[in-house]
Amino acid sequence: MEHHPAAAWLAEAATAADGRGGPGVLRIVLLVMIVGCVLTGWFLLRGYRRKDD
């Protein structure tokens, strides 16, 4: 396996996305990733809430 710099790998992935599914797949992946990050942050931060009874 050859070593590819990150920028070259990203450029190859972008050109491959055009031929295999287009921008729709990329939008779905990004949306799922963002929603997952938000839910993970919410889940982790809700444990730090203090109950002042």
Side-chain angles (χ1 to χ4, degrees), residues 27-46:
R27 286 185 188 138
I28 292 170
V29 169
L30 289 174
L31 182 65
V32 169
M33 184 178 65
I34 290 170
V35 170
C37 288
V38 168
L39 287 175
T40 302
W42 173 78
F43 181 74
L44 291 174
L45 291 175
R46 74 182 181 103

